Amino acid sequence: MNAEKAKKLQSILMNYSDKLLSAVVYRYYNEALSRNIKFTYDVRNVDIGKIEEIDITSILCDLLDNAMKVCDHENPFIEITIHKGQPAGTIVISVACSSEKEQLMESREYVSANIKKTVKKYNGDINIYFQDEDKTLHITVILYEDIIENENTNMR
């Protein structure tokens, strides 16, 4: 059953325009399956444009690695969405995962220095909040591909 789901996901993801993002999501989907974590995804046709692949891949891997670390209680889940936002040239990456507040306090750093550095490079934003009612951590990263910080100057 898991192999069938993984094969179906692989064929769906390979239709997306960005193969690297698809491969990353596929990797974490398989890890979630092996750990009995419900993994849902919504990756819309995302063209990362001027954002370097290493930057977006680094953010995605860090967010999903951290979600896997704190997603260890009853009914674990991870939800990820990646899509173009507004204004044009905006990429939005959102990760939500089940977690216990105590685990988050122990892990301390669920948004790494790498993520912060990359978000700053693209003059982006990070929004983090914990929903006590359903014990869910939400992290949203927004990158602006048209505004790249380059040594104290902004380039458009």
Side-chain angles (χ1 to χ4, degrees):
M1 179 79 164
N2 285 348
E4 286 178 32
K5 285 183 180 179
K7 189 172 182 176
K8 181 180 176 187
L9 175 71
Q10 183 180 23
S11 70
I12 291 168
L13 286 175
M14 288 305 126
N15 289 323
Y16 290 127
S17 60
D18 193 290
K19 302 293 188 227
L20 187 58
L21 291 180
S22 297
V24 171
V25 170
Y26 179 70
R27 173 186 168 237
Y28 285 94
Y29 175 82
N30 280 327
E31 184 177 340
L33 275 179
S34 71
R35 295 177 54 193
N36 293 318
I37 296 171
K38 181 181 176 187
F39 189 96
T40 56
Y41 61 94
D42 182 4
V43 180
R44 307 222 180 122
N45 271 337
V46 175
D47 175 7
I48 62 172
K50 297 175 188 172
I51 296 174
E52 294 180 47
E53 282 186 338
I54 188 72
D55 291 335
I56 200 159
T57 302
S58 175
I59 287 174
L60 189 54
C61 288
D62 280 2
L63 289 174
L64 290 171
D65 279 341
N66 292 337
M68 290 285 181
K69 286 179 192 171
V70 299
C71 189
D72 280 337
H73 74 291
E74 191 175 322
N75 300 318
F77 69 88
I78 295 174
E79 298 171 355
I80 181 165
T81 60
I82 305 171
H83 61 88
K84 285 282 198 181
Q86 292 297 325
T90 303
I91 293 182
V92 181
I93 303 170
S94 298
V95 174
C97 64
S98 56
S99 186
E100 296 290 340
K101 208 169 199 172
E102 296 76 29
Q103 280 181 302
L104 295 175
M105 295 308 129
E106 287 174 18
S107 68
R108 292 185 198 153
E109 187 81 17
Y110 37 86
V111 175
S112 71
N114 276 343
I115 292 174
K116 291 174 185 173
K117 180 180 174 185
T118 303
V119 167
K120 182 178 179 193
K121 176 179 176 180
Y122 294 96
N123 287 312
D125 296 303
I126 303 172
N127 183 17
I128 305 166
Y129 66 94
F130 185 79
Q131 221 169 342
D132 282 316
E133 305 81 50
D134 61 359
K135 297 183 178 184
T136 304
L137 172 67
H138 298 266
I139 301 175
T140 301
V141 174
I142 302 170
L143 304 175
Y144 303 100
E145 69 179 359
D146 291 338
I147 306 171
I148 302 171
E149 189 173 288
N150 185 6
E151 297 183 28
N152 300 332
T153 62
N154 289 336
M155 300 174 62
R156 281 191 181 247

